[in-house]
């Protein structure tokens, strides 16, 4: 019988791409989502791409323990990939209680249910935000985390620590990575793009905070002009440097990480991997690449720096390359073409 993976937040942007890759790899899946930040577009897309109409979907809020517990009773769950969380940095500064409650309680409930039902492999979706403005680049998993600059970032750090502590809880852990809960935190850099089918992709609510959805919405005419935040940074062209990772490549990293856990290949009960390309790309370079690959002109202007932005961050990906046998494969051009195809499909073009 195929092993089953619970994907919490599985109807969202990253969750839907991961669900596709899990099914492609032969796993059974159960998707849980409270639909607070998405509609059924991506889940319907997942069914179309995989040709599977029967993917179990549970509309539950992971902050409700009884619902999570029931899910673990109804399905034999071999691993959880936990995406169910709020993710807007600015909003988290405005609404810290909402962020802490949602992001911490849902994860605690997942962990508690995992333990109660005999143990589980838990993959947590963390972020490069934990590194802050790192002194030495690229960052490795050993690069010290810096104090978070937003409640959102803080929830990522706290959830990493909670997962580590639960894995190594002395009550359960026998010292040989044999505790009931095993954990991997994947630290994503900047996920962008869409599935090549253009059936699933990013669906930001309201005005996008992130660069690529803002670019595609400007190109389609939904936004008048892209503001490039800052062109006076100490980088070659003055704009910030990021490590943009293709969403399908990122999804595949989840499959190899979760297989590593389920196949008993972990070296320690809790492991961390950077998931990026290892390639720094500036905002201006990304905008130019988008124009070139899609053969269009984007309306953009330079604007003041956005508060809270780090100048530059990119990943040292050697650990993921060597230990997971995973490597980002798609070029930034392919990814930007996929992002544009998705935006056009949304607009019915
Ligand atoms: N940017 C613009 N104009 C925009 C939007 C973004 O110039 O309209 C610039 C930003 O200033 C930054 C770059 O594009 O230099 C990337 O910005 P994003 O908002 O797309 O991504 P961030 O790097 O700020 O944040 C992302 C995730 C966060 C995560 C963080 C970790 O969105 O969830 O990476 O580093 F915490």
């Amino acid at each position: 019988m195929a092993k089953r993976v619970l994907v919490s937040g599985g109807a969202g942007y990253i969750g839907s791409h991961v669900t596709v890759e899990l099914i492609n790899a032969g796993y059974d899946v159960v998707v849980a989502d409270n639909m607070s930040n998405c509609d059924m577009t991506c889940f319907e897309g997942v069914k179309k791409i995989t040709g599977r109409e029967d993917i179990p979907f549970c509309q539950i809020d992971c902050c409700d323990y009884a619902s999570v517990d029931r899910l673990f009773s109804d399905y034999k769950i071999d691993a959880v990939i936990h995406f169910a969380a709020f993710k807007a940095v600015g909003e988290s500064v405005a609404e810290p209680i909402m962020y802490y409650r949602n992001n911490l309680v849902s994860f605690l409930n997942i962990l508690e249910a995992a333990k109660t039902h005999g143990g589980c492999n838990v993959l947590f979706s963390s972020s490069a935000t934990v590194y802050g403005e790192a002194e030495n680049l690229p960052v490795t998993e050993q690069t010290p985390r810096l104090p978070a600059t937003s409640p959102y970032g803080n929830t990522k750090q706290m959830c990493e620590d909670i997962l580590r502590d639960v894995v190594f809880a002395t009550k359960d852990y026998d010292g040989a990575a044999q505790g009931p809960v095993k954990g991997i935190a994947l630290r994503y850099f900047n996920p962008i793009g869409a599935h090549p089918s253009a059936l699933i992709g990013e669906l930001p609510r309201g005005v996008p905070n992130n660069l690529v959805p803002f670019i595609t919405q400007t190109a389609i005419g939904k936004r008048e002009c892209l503001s490039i935040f800052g062109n006076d940074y100490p980088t070659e062209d003055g704009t910030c440097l990021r490590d943009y990772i293709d969403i399908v490549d990122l999804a595949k990293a989840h499959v190899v990480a979760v297989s590593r856990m389920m196949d008993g290949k972990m070296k320690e009960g809790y492991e961390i991997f950077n998931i990026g390309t290892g390639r720094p790309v500036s905002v201006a370079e990304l905008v130019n690449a988008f124009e070139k690959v899609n053969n269009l002109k984007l309306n953009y202007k330079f604007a003041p720096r956005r508060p809270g932005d780090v100048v530059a961050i990119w990943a040292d990906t050697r650990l993921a390359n060597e230990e997971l046998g995973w490597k980002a494969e798609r070029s930034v051009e392919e990814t930007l073409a996929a992002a544009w195809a998705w935006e056009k499909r949304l607009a019915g073009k």
Side-chain angles (χ1 to χ4, degrees), residues 11-13 33-39 85-87 203-205:
Y13 174 44
D33 206 301
N34 69 357
M35 309 304 288
S36 69
N37 193 28
C38 59
D39 57 28
F86 294 149
K87 60 173 185 180
L203 270 178
R205 290 231 164 129

Side-chain angles (χ1 to χ4, degrees), residues 18-178:
V18 168
T19 301
V20 166
E21 296 309 320
L22 286 168
I23 291 171
N24 286 347
Y27 291 114
D28 283 338
V29 170
V30 51
V31 170
D33 206 301
N34 69 357
M35 309 304 288
S36 69
N37 193 28
C38 59
D39 57 28
M40 288 307 268
T41 311
C42 284
F43 190 64
E44 291 303 324
V46 169
K47 291 203 253 178
K48 274 210 191 100
I49 295 167
T50 57
R52 289 270 300 269
E53 276 300 318
D54 58 344
I55 304 165
F57 178 85
C58 305
Q59 185 165 352
I60 62 158
D61 188 336
C62 292
C63 288
D64 176 38
Y65 183 73
S67 304
V68 179
D69 186 61
R70 203 171 318 119
L71 200 57
F72 275 79
S73 300
D74 290 348
Y75 296 91
K76 191 194 163 301
I77 291 166
D78 299 287
V80 184
I81 305 184
H82 182 66
F83 295 110
F86 294 149
K87 60 173 185 180
V89 178
E91 188 184 46
S92 79
V93 179
E95 298 276 3
I97 296 175
M98 184 173 104
Y99 267 68
Y100 285 116
R101 178 175 290 130
N102 185 65
N103 292 8
L104 299 181
V105 172
S106 62
F107 193 46
L108 287 168
N109 284 345
I110 291 280
L111 290 167
E112 176 136 37
K115 260 194 70 176
T116 308
H117 290 265
C120 199
N121 301 292
V122 179
L123 193 160
F124 176 64
S125 71
S126 191
S127 166
T129 197
V130 302
Y131 296 116
E133 184 86 73
E135 248 175 64
N136 297 311
L137 293 165
V139 290
T140 74
E141 291 77 358
Q142 264 70 53
T143 299
R145 296 184 320 187
L146 294 179
T149 54
S150 71
Y152 160 79
N154 210 13
T155 66
K156 290 296 177 197
Q157 298 205 1
M158 290 165 93
C159 286
E160 284 192 353
D161 293 345
I162 290 169
L163 179 55
R164 179 204 60 209
D165 291 348
V166 169
V167 166
F168 296 119
T170 50
K171 191 166 157 288
D172 307 305
Y173 189 69
D174 77 356
Q178 295 301 324

Side-chain angles (χ1 to χ4, degrees), residues 13 16 49 82 107 134 215 237 249 260 322 344:
Y13 174 44
S16 56
I49 295 167
H82 182 66
F107 193 46
I215 290 177
D237 64 22
D249 281 337
R260 175 180 175 90
E322 286 158 22
K344 282 194 292 189

Side-chain angles (χ1 to χ4, degrees), residues 277-341:
T277 65
R279 243 186 354 243
V281 173
S282 78
V283 175
E285 280 172 337
L286 196 85
V287 168
N288 292 336
F290 181 83
E291 291 186 319
K292 201 165 167 212
V293 70
N294 296 314
N295 196 24
L296 47 79
K297 271 265 151 271
L298 195 69
N299 191 21
Y300 69 87
K301 61 171 190 235
F302 292 108
R305 293 179 178 193
R306 183 172 70 176
D309 274 342
V310 299
V311 180
I313 179 118
W314 70 94
D316 183 321
T317 62
R318 277 174 299 173
L319 194 67
N321 301 158
E322 286 158 22
E323 280 295 321
L324 298 178
W326 169 90
K327 205 171 182 316
E329 278 164 7
R330 292 174 93 191
S331 68
V332 114
E333 286 76 17
E334 282 174 278
T335 306
L336 291 171
W340 180 228

